[in-house]
CSV table of all heavy atoms in Angstrom, one decimal:
chain,number,residue,atom,x,y,z
J,34,ILE,N,112.8,47.7,-28.0
J,34,ILE,CA,112.4,49.1,-27.6
J,34,ILE,C,111.9,49.8,-28.8
J,34,ILE,O,112.5,49.8,-29.9
J,34,ILE,CB,113.6,49.9,-27.1
J,34,ILE,CG1,114.3,49.2,-25.9
J,34,ILE,CG2,113.2,51.3,-26.7
J,34,ILE,CD1,115.6,49.8,-25.5
J,35,LYS,N,110.7,50.3,-28.7
J,35,LYS,CA,110.0,51.1,-29.8
J,35,LYS,C,110.4,52.5,-29.7
J,35,LYS,O,110.9,53.0,-28.7
J,35,LYS,CB,108.5,50.8,-29.7
J,35,LYS,CG,108.2,49.3,-29.9
J,35,LYS,CD,106.7,49.1,-29.9
J,35,LYS,CE,106.1,49.7,-31.2
J,35,LYS,NZ,104.7,49.4,-31.3
J,36,ALA,N,110.1,53.3,-30.7
J,36,ALA,CA,110.4,54.7,-30.8
J,36,ALA,C,109.8,55.5,-29.7
J,36,ALA,O,110.4,56.5,-29.2
J,36,ALA,CB,110.0,55.2,-32.2
J,37,ASP,N,108.7,55.1,-29.1
J,37,ASP,CA,108.0,55.8,-28.1
J,37,ASP,C,108.6,55.5,-26.7
J,37,ASP,O,108.1,55.9,-25.7
J,37,ASP,CB,106.5,55.7,-28.1
J,37,ASP,CG,106.1,54.2,-27.8
J,37,ASP,OD1,106.9,53.3,-27.6
J,37,ASP,OD2,104.8,54.0,-27.9
J,38,GLY,N,109.6,54.6,-26.6
J,38,GLY,CA,110.2,54.2,-25.3
J,38,GLY,C,109.5,53.0,-24.7
J,38,GLY,O,109.9,52.6,-23.6
J,39,SER,N,108.4,52.5,-25.3
J,39,SER,CA,107.8,51.3,-24.8
J,39,SER,C,108.6,50.0,-25.2
J,39,SER,O,109.4,50.1,-26.0
J,39,SER,CB,106.3,51.2,-25.3
J,39,SER,OG,106.3,51.0,-26.7
J,40,VAL,N,108.2,48.9,-24.6
J,40,VAL,CA,109.0,47.6,-24.8
J,40,VAL,C,108.0,46.5,-25.1
J,40,VAL,O,106.9,46.4,-24.5
J,40,VAL,CB,109.8,47.2,-23.6
J,40,VAL,CG1,110.4,45.9,-23.7
J,40,VAL,CG2,110.8,48.3,-23.3
J,41,VAL,N,108.3,45.7,-26.1
J,41,VAL,CA,107.6,44.6,-26.5
J,41,VAL,C,108.5,43.4,-26.3
J,41,VAL,O,109.7,43.4,-26.7
J,41,VAL,CB,107.1,44.6,-28.0
J,41,VAL,CG1,106.4,43.4,-28.4
J,41,VAL,CG2,106.3,45.9,-28.3
J,42,THR,N,108.0,42.3,-25.7
J,42,THR,CA,108.8,41.1,-25.4
J,42,THR,C,108.1,39.9,-26.0
J,42,THR,O,106.8,39.8,-26.1
J,42,THR,CB,109.0,40.9,-23.9
J,42,THR,OG1,107.7,40.7,-23.3
J,42,THR,CG2,109.8,42.0,-23.3
J,43,TRP,N,108.9,38.9,-26.4
J,43,TRP,CA,108.3,37.6,-26.9
J,43,TRP,C,109.4,36.5,-26.7
J,43,TRP,O,110.6,36.8,-26.5
J,43,TRP,CB,107.8,37.7,-28.3
J,43,TRP,CG,108.9,37.9,-29.3
J,43,TRP,CD1,109.5,36.9,-30.1
J,43,TRP,CD2,109.5,39.1,-29.7
J,43,TRP,NE1,110.4,37.5,-30.9
J,43,TRP,CE2,110.5,38.8,-30.7
J,43,TRP,CE3,109.4,40.5,-29.3
J,43,TRP,CZ2,111.3,39.8,-31.4
J,43,TRP,CZ3,110.2,41.4,-30.0
J,43,TRP,CH2,111.1,41.1,-30.9
J,44,GLY,N,108.9,35.3,-26.7
J,44,GLY,CA,109.8,34.1,-26.5
J,44,GLY,C,109.4,33.4,-25.2
J,44,GLY,O,108.3,33.5,-24.7
J,45,SER,N,110.4,32.7,-24.6
J,45,SER,CA,110.2,31.9,-23.4
J,45,SER,C,109.8,32.9,-22.3
J,45,SER,O,110.5,33.8,-21.9
J,45,SER,CB,111.4,31.2,-23.0
J,45,SER,OG,111.3,30.6,-21.7
J,46,SER,N,108.7,32.6,-21.6
J,46,SER,CA,108.3,33.4,-20.5
J,46,SER,C,109.2,33.3,-19.3
J,46,SER,O,109.5,34.3,-18.6
J,46,SER,CB,106.9,33.0,-20.0
J,46,SER,OG,106.8,31.7,-19.6
J,47,ARG,N,109.8,32.2,-19.2
J,47,ARG,CA,110.8,32.0,-18.1
J,47,ARG,C,112.0,32.9,-18.2
J,47,ARG,O,112.6,33.3,-17.2
J,47,ARG,CB,111.2,30.5,-18.0
J,47,ARG,CG,112.0,30.2,-16.7
J,47,ARG,CD,112.4,28.7,-16.6
J,47,ARG,NE,113.8,28.7,-16.3
J,47,ARG,CZ,114.7,28.1,-17.0
J,47,ARG,NH1,114.4,27.5,-18.1
J,47,ARG,NH2,116.0,28.2,-16.7
J,48,THR,N,112.5,33.1,-19.4
J,48,THR,CA,113.7,33.9,-19.6
J,48,THR,C,113.4,35.3,-20.2
J,48,THR,O,114.3,35.8,-20.9
J,48,THR,CB,114.7,33.1,-20.5
J,48,THR,OG1,114.0,32.9,-21.8
J,48,THR,CG2,115.1,31.8,-19.9
J,49,GLY,N,112.3,35.9,-19.8
J,49,GLY,CA,112.0,37.2,-20.1
J,49,GLY,C,111.1,37.5,-21.2
J,49,GLY,O,110.8,38.7,-21.5
J,50,GLY,N,110.6,36.5,-21.9
J,50,GLY,CA,109.6,36.7,-23.0
J,50,GLY,C,108.3,37.2,-22.6
J,50,GLY,O,107.5,37.7,-23.4
J,51,ASP,N,108.0,37.1,-21.3
J,51,ASP,CA,106.7,37.6,-20.7
J,51,ASP,C,107.1,38.7,-19.7
J,51,ASP,O,107.6,38.4,-18.7
J,51,ASP,CB,106.0,36.4,-20.0
J,51,ASP,CG,104.6,36.9,-19.4
J,51,ASP,OD1,104.3,38.1,-19.5
J,51,ASP,OD2,103.9,36.0,-18.9
J,52,SER,N,106.7,39.9,-20.1
J,52,SER,CA,107.0,41.1,-19.2
J,52,SER,C,105.8,41.7,-18.6
J,52,SER,O,105.8,42.8,-18.1
J,52,SER,CB,107.8,42.1,-20.0
J,52,SER,OG,107.0,42.6,-21.1
J,53,VAL,N,104.7,40.9,-18.5
J,53,VAL,CA,103.4,41.4,-18.0
J,53,VAL,C,103.5,41.9,-16.6
J,53,VAL,O,102.8,42.9,-16.3
J,53,VAL,CB,102.3,40.3,-18.2
J,53,VAL,CG1,102.5,39.2,-17.2
J,53,VAL,CG2,100.9,41.0,-18.0
J,54,LEU,N,104.3,41.4,-15.8
J,54,LEU,CA,104.4,41.8,-14.4
J,54,LEU,C,105.1,43.2,-14.2
J,54,LEU,O,104.9,43.9,-13.2
J,54,LEU,CB,105.1,40.8,-13.5
J,54,LEU,CG,104.5,39.5,-13.3
J,54,LEU,CD1,105.3,38.5,-12.5
J,54,LEU,CD2,103.1,39.6,-12.7
J,55,VAL,N,105.8,43.6,-15.2
J,55,VAL,CA,106.5,44.9,-15.2
J,55,VAL,C,106.1,45.8,-16.3
J,55,VAL,O,106.7,46.9,-16.5
J,55,VAL,CB,108.1,44.8,-15.2
J,55,VAL,CG1,108.5,44.1,-13.9
J,55,VAL,CG2,108.5,44.0,-16.4
J,56,ALA,N,105.1,45.4,-17.1
J,56,ALA,CA,104.7,46.1,-18.3
J,56,ALA,C,104.4,47.6,-18.1
J,56,ALA,O,104.8,48.5,-18.9
J,56,ALA,CB,103.5,45.5,-19.0
J,57,ASP,N,103.7,47.9,-16.9
J,57,ASP,CA,103.4,49.3,-16.6
J,57,ASP,C,104.6,50.2,-16.3
J,57,ASP,O,104.5,51.4,-16.4
J,57,ASP,CB,102.4,49.3,-15.5
J,57,ASP,CG,102.9,48.8,-14.2
J,57,ASP,OD1,103.7,47.8,-14.2
J,57,ASP,OD2,102.6,49.3,-13.1
J,58,LYS,N,105.7,49.5,-16.0
J,58,LYS,CA,107.0,50.3,-15.7
J,58,LYS,C,107.9,50.4,-17.0
J,58,LYS,O,108.8,51.2,-17.0
J,58,LYS,CB,107.8,49.6,-14.6
J,58,LYS,CG,107.0,49.5,-13.3
J,58,LYS,CD,107.9,48.7,-12.3
J,58,LYS,CE,107.2,48.7,-11.0
J,58,LYS,NZ,106.3,47.5,-10.8
J,59,LEU,N,107.6,49.7,-18.0
J,59,LEU,CA,108.4,49.7,-19.2
J,59,LEU,C,108.0,50.9,-20.2
J,59,LEU,O,107.5,50.7,-21.3
J,59,LEU,CB,108.4,48.4,-19.9
J,59,LEU,CG,109.0,47.2,-19.2
J,59,LEU,CD1,108.8,45.9,-19.9
J,59,LEU,CD2,110.5,47.5,-19.0
J,60,ILE,N,108.2,52.1,-19.7
J,60,ILE,CA,108.0,53.3,-20.5
J,60,ILE,C,109.2,54.1,-20.4
J,60,ILE,O,110.0,54.0,-19.5
J,60,ILE,CB,106.8,54.1,-19.9
J,60,ILE,CG1,106.9,54.4,-18.5
J,60,ILE,CG2,105.5,53.3,-20.1
J,60,ILE,CD1,105.9,55.3,-17.9
J,61,GLU,N,109.5,55.0,-21.4
J,61,GLU,CA,110.6,55.8,-21.5
J,61,GLU,C,111.9,55.0,-21.3
J,61,GLU,O,112.9,55.5,-20.7
J,61,GLU,CB,110.5,57.0,-20.4
J,61,GLU,CG,109.4,57.9,-20.7
J,61,GLU,CD,109.3,59.0,-19.7
J,61,GLU,OE1,110.2,59.1,-18.8
J,61,GLU,OE2,108.3,59.8,-19.8
J,62,VAL,N,112.0,53.8,-21.9
J,62,VAL,CA,113.1,53.0,-21.8
J,62,VAL,C,114.2,53.5,-22.9
J,62,VAL,O,113.8,53.7,-24.0
J,62,VAL,CB,112.8,51.5,-22.1
J,62,VAL,CG1,114.0,50.6,-22.2
J,62,VAL,CG2,111.9,51.0,-21.0
J,63,GLN,N,115.4,53.6,-22.4
J,63,GLN,CA,116.5,54.0,-23.3
J,63,GLN,C,117.3,52.9,-23.8
J,63,GLN,O,117.8,52.9,-24.9
J,63,GLN,CB,117.4,55.0,-22.6
J,63,GLN,CG,116.7,56.3,-22.2
J,63,GLN,CD,117.6,57.3,-21.6
J,63,GLN,OE1,118.5,56.9,-20.8
J,63,GLN,NE2,117.4,58.6,-21.9
J,64,SER,N,117.6,51.9,-23.0
J,64,SER,CA,118.4,50.7,-23.4
J,64,SER,C,118.0,49.5,-22.6
J,64,SER,O,117.4,49.6,-21.5
J,64,SER,CB,119.9,51.0,-23.2
J,64,SER,OG,120.2,51.2,-21.9
J,65,ILE,N,118.3,48.3,-23.1
J,65,ILE,CA,118.1,47.0,-22.5
J,65,ILE,C,119.3,46.2,-22.5
J,65,ILE,O,119.9,46.0,-23.6
J,65,ILE,CB,116.9,46.3,-23.1
J,65,ILE,CG1,115.6,47.1,-22.9
J,65,ILE,CG2,116.7,44.9,-22.4
J,65,ILE,CD1,114.4,46.4,-23.5
J,66,SER,N,119.7,45.7,-21.4
J,66,SER,CA,120.8,44.7,-21.3
J,66,SER,C,120.2,43.4,-21.0
J,66,SER,O,119.1,43.3,-20.4
J,66,SER,CB,121.8,45.1,-20.3
J,66,SER,OG,122.4,46.3,-20.6
J,67,ALA,N,120.9,42.3,-21.3
J,67,ALA,CA,120.4,40.9,-21.0
J,67,ALA,C,121.4,40.0,-20.6
J,67,ALA,O,122.6,40.0,-21.1
J,67,ALA,CB,119.7,40.4,-22.3
Side-chain angles (χ1 to χ4, degrees):
I34 302 174
K35 297 182 69 174
D37 65 0
S39 64
V40 174
V41 176
T42 60
W43 68 97
S45 169
S46 60
R47 190 179 131 239
T48 58
D51 182 354
S52 58
V53 68
L54 295 177
V55 295
D57 61 326
K58 297 177 179 88
L59 293 174
I60 56 172
E61 298 182 2
V62 172
Q63 293 183 326
S64 64
I65 297 178
S66 296

